[in-house]
Amino acid sequence: MRLVRLERCSSGIKLGKSIYSENGKILLTKGTELTDSFINRLKNLNINTVYIEDTASEGIDIIESIPVELLNEATNVITDGLNTIADINMTKPTVKGMIETEKTVRNFQRIFKDILTILTENPTVLNLLATTKIHESHVYTHSLNVTIYSCQLAIKNGLQTNEIEEIGLGALLHDLGKIFVKPEVLNKPGRLTQEEFEQMKSHSQLGFDILRKVHEVPFVVAHCALQHHERIDGAGYPRGLKENEIHPYAKILSVADVFDAVTSHRVYRPAMLPHQGMELLYSGSGTQFDTDQLKLFKNCIAIYPQGLTVKLNDGRTGIVTKYNFHSVGRPEIRIIRDEEDQEVAPYEIDLSSSGNLTLEIVEADALL
Ligand SMILES: [Fe+2]
């Protein structure tokens, strides 16, 4: 199985993984032969890449970091939960509303515990590309993805379980305020006007104002919503906090937040691949992001996910087959083209083994 850009797919290609709707229904089952009309439909649904089966990539299995069933359940819990908390707590809370809120927070905690258990019991590097889903509204999926990335980064920080659980709840709720931003502003394809940008920016304060009144939510979790757009250099919002004025949880969230935002499709730009997203984060090292958090985050994610096509500095081309946990930027690769770009009988090399240390990945893409 390998990852390809949809624009390079033609009819007759066999789908390697099922494609899901946002609430978890299968839209196209793995093994389906793509037709021109399927390809067009997927393009219209903003799918950029798909997994396909072909001879060159035979036997390459793509491991999902989180089982799709849990991702689907979590998306549904988040969708209901964010709307419930926003609806109930904007007005004067009633007893019924407080009970509903308490139930929602408990559901969030339960979902997060399931994610935490999976990530602690099966040490992995995260590849959220491994599950292809259609998103109607990006707030819910984004909240889930940020939660998964933050959880992994919090584990890498060596934090205590209760701290990781606070970060998890903070991540699930960090964009609560976006429920109140008008969809035409949230999903505007072009540049935002100053007024629209101010409206967009208000989501962190708005989320905080709601969450600080919910007594099941620790105050530090409300601060995750408030501070996740602050920057190390003080140029962030809403308060322009600097360096150590920013809560450590918010430093973790901001890395996870931007990484997911740039590696996900938005109406105003296509998704970046993980190595491009990582490069972008590094361009903000010490200004937008905490440098230590970036270093840790680099080891949390599959920079070169399985199934990606990579070109080496000696001219050979291969497909990523396996991660090396000790060296995530140097995976195992199945070589399919030689130095002269001629097809060869596939063979595997491990970029992390001592004989291959002069080799570098110079290009990576989702290709056929
Ligand atoms: Fe945000």
Side-chain angles (χ1 to χ4, degrees):
M1 207 186 305
R2 67 200 293 194
L3 189 67
V4 296
R5 287 194 185 277
L6 193 61
E7 69 214 26
R8 298 179 70 104
C9 289
S10 49
S11 64
I13 282 179
K14 211 165 152 195
L15 204 57
K17 275 186 173 283
S18 300
I19 297 176
Y20 297 85
S21 69
E22 187 160 49
N23 61 8
K25 292 207 176 74
I26 293 185
L27 292 180
L28 278 179
T29 319
K30 70 172 183 179
T32 304
E33 274 190 21
L34 291 176
T35 61
D36 287 340
S37 101
F38 280 153
I39 294 170
N40 280 333
R41 222 178 119 216
L42 292 175
K43 276 183 193 159
N44 291 335
L45 290 165
N46 298 326
I47 294 287
N48 298 301
T49 54
V50 287
Y51 284 97
I52 61 137
E53 295 280 9
D54 69 351
T55 340
S57 64
E58 213 176 292
I60 301 178
D61 279 332
I62 313 293
I63 301 164
E64 278 148 7
S65 313
I66 306 278
V68 67
E69 297 75 20
L70 178 54
L71 290 179
N72 291 337
E73 191 195 351
T75 311
N76 292 333
V77 167
I78 293 169
T79 307
D80 289 349
L82 290 183
N83 286 302
T84 303
I85 295 181
D87 284 352
I88 291 171
N89 294 283
M90 271 314 271
T91 49
K92 202 168 176 295
T94 58
V95 174
K96 192 169 163 260
M98 280 157 75
I99 293 169
E100 279 295 303
T101 305
E102 198 188 322
K103 208 172 96 193
T104 303
V105 173
R106 273 207 310 272
N107 280 342
F108 276 18
Q109 285 164 329
R110 177 178 56 83
I111 281 292
F112 181 70
K113 274 199 177 134
D114 289 347
I115 293 170
L116 178 58
T117 306
I118 285 173
L119 294 182
T120 40
E121 285 179 1
N122 316 287
T124 182
V125 287
L126 296 173
N127 172 19
L128 299 191
L129 272 179
T131 311
T132 314
K133 282 181 93 175
I134 314 287
H135 311 304
E136 283 116 42
S137 155
H138 66 74
V139 174
Y140 311 115
T141 309
H142 171 68
S143 301
L144 174 59
N145 291 351
V146 171
T147 304
I148 297 168
Y149 290 129
S150 304
C151 179
Q152 183 83 331
L153 184 50
I155 295 170
K156 278 271 188 295
N157 271 273
L159 298 179
Q160 305 287 325
T161 307
N162 67 318
E163 296 173 307
I164 300 175
E165 285 172 357
E166 284 174 340
I167 293 177
L169 192 57
L172 284 165
L173 290 163
H174 79 284
D175 265 348
L176 174 69
K178 278 199 181 158
I179 302 284
F180 303 98
V181 178
K182 288 188 197 134
E184 53 270 34
V185 174
L186 213 52
N187 302 316
K188 187 175 172 180
R191 215 183 159 80
L192 297 181
T193 63
Q194 191 57 35
E195 199 188 325
E196 289 166 337
F197 189 48
E198 290 305 321
Q199 203 191 121
M200 180 70 108
K201 286 199 315 194
S202 69
H203 79 278
S204 36
Q205 184 72 48
L206 215 53
F208 174 74
D209 289 342
I210 294 174
L211 292 172
R212 73 192 170 100
K213 288 184 272 180
V214 179
H215 86 273
E216 294 81 9
V217 172
F219 196 47
V220 69
V221 168
H223 267 278
C224 288
L226 184 66
Q227 294 189 24
H228 72 277
H229 287 289
E230 298 290 359
R231 296 169 45 117
I232 297 296
D233 60 7
Y237 64 85
R239 293 193 288 167
L241 300 178
K242 265 189 194 157
E243 295 173 3
N244 290 339
E245 293 167 350
I246 306 170
H247 194 281
Y249 293 0
K251 290 179 183 168
I252 290 178
L253 278 188
S254 104
V255 170
D257 179 26
V258 176
F259 184 76
D260 183 63
V262 299
T263 55
S264 301
H265 181 90
R266 294 286 185 265
V267 275
Y268 40 87
R269 52 144 184 79
M272 287 181 182
L273 286 165
H275 68 285
Q276 298 165 320
M278 204 65 227
E279 244 168 63
L280 185 128
L281 291 194
Y282 262 89
S283 70
S285 177
T287 48
Q288 186 168 0
F289 306 107
D290 181 285
T291 308
D292 293 338
Q293 291 307 329
L294 285 185
K295 279 187 200 152
L296 288 174
F297 189 63
K298 210 172 79 182
N299 295 313
C300 291
I301 55 152
I303 298 176
Y304 300 111
Q306 288 172 311
L308 194 72
T309 304
V310 291
K311 195 148 192 147
L312 301 178
N313 52 348
D314 66 0
R316 287 183 288 176
T317 304
I319 304 171
V320 177
T321 54
K322 217 169 149 194
Y323 313 128
N324 282 305
F325 292 129
H326 54 282
S327 180
V328 285
R330 306 191 67 81
E332 290 182 29
I333 288 168
R334 177 180 296 176
I335 298 292
I336 53 169
R337 287 177 177 273
D338 65 12
E339 290 83 347
E340 268 72 53
D341 211 26
Q342 300 300 310
E343 271 185 34
V344 287
Y347 61 95
E348 319 236 324
I349 60 167
D350 181 351
L351 287 189
S352 75
S353 76
S354 54
N356 292 326
L357 291 183
T358 53
L359 292 173
E360 295 288 340
I361 293 175
V362 288
E363 271 176 63
D365 207 342
L367 294 177
L368 205 53

